Amino acid sequence: MDGFFHRLDSDMCVVTAVADGERAGCLVGFASQCSIDPPRYAVWLSKANRTYRVARSARHLAVHLLTRNQRDLAELFGGETGDEVDKFAGLDWREGPGGAVVLADAAAWCVGTVLHRTDGGDHVCFVLDPVGWGTGRPGPLLRLSDAVGIDAGHPA
């Protein structure tokens, strides 16, 4: 399958979750709009990540698009683990719909109510019903090819 998968160059995003007094966030490469009417968005979280553990109890998730010049945020959310560091320390963020964490500097963001969770193997799909969104920083979006050198905080 490498001939297929290696040609994909999807947009990268940061997903944040809040539940039971805990915040978490991670860099995600598996995400897509999955319905037009009604609008739906799906994100896949690795079972190895702390974000997944928090998201299992979360009612809402926030999805943030980054620009190519925000590699520092991508490295923070993709290369560090929330098991060891507070990824939100020093970041500008606010509470969004449903208590979700919205990163102030994102290119665009969407908060969705979690409708479904589907096990897909080493990742779980969260299907979201958008309840809030906004735009921010202009510029081309960060893609998988821009994030290739980021060493994951947890193995896949």
Side-chain angles (χ1 to χ4, degrees), residues 1-155:
M1 294 289 303
D2 287 349
F4 178 82
F5 288 130
H6 284 125
R7 298 204 59 178
L8 299 175
D9 197 18
S10 58
D11 295 328
M12 301 296 290
C13 57
V14 169
V15 174
T16 57
V18 177
D20 303 323
E22 291 186 76
R23 296 186 300 245
C26 65
L27 186 66
V28 172
F30 304 151
S32 177
Q33 181 176 348
C34 61
S35 176
I36 296 170
D37 188 18
R40 299 286 187 257
Y41 198 78
V43 295
W44 293 82
L45 300 179
S46 169
K47 292 177 182 177
N49 289 345
R50 180 172 180 272
T51 304
Y52 165 71
R53 294 191 303 274
V54 173
R56 287 185 305 193
S57 300
R59 296 193 59 212
H60 296 85
L61 298 180
V63 181
H64 307 82
L65 300 178
L66 304 178
T67 61
R68 286 188 184 148
N69 61 0
Q70 291 182 293
R71 185 174 166 95
D72 57 334
L73 271 179
E75 288 177 353
L76 172 64
F77 281 95
E80 299 291 338
T81 173
D83 293 325
E84 298 172 4
V85 298
D86 179 359
K87 296 181 186 182
F88 300 93
L91 290 183
D92 189 10
W93 62 272
R94 65 178 178 79
E95 187 174 303
V101 171
V102 174
L103 302 177
D105 204 28
W109 60 272
C110 175
V111 171
T113 303
V114 177
L115 294 179
H116 307 287
R117 293 172 180 87
T118 303
D119 192 309
D122 59 5
H123 284 65
V124 172
C125 177
F126 292 75
V127 177
L128 307 177
D129 176 18
V131 295
W133 49 87
T135 60
R137 179 186 287 256
L141 295 179
L142 182 79
R143 301 188 63 90
L144 178 61
S145 59
D146 301 316
V148 146
I150 297 174
D151 291 326
H154 278 287

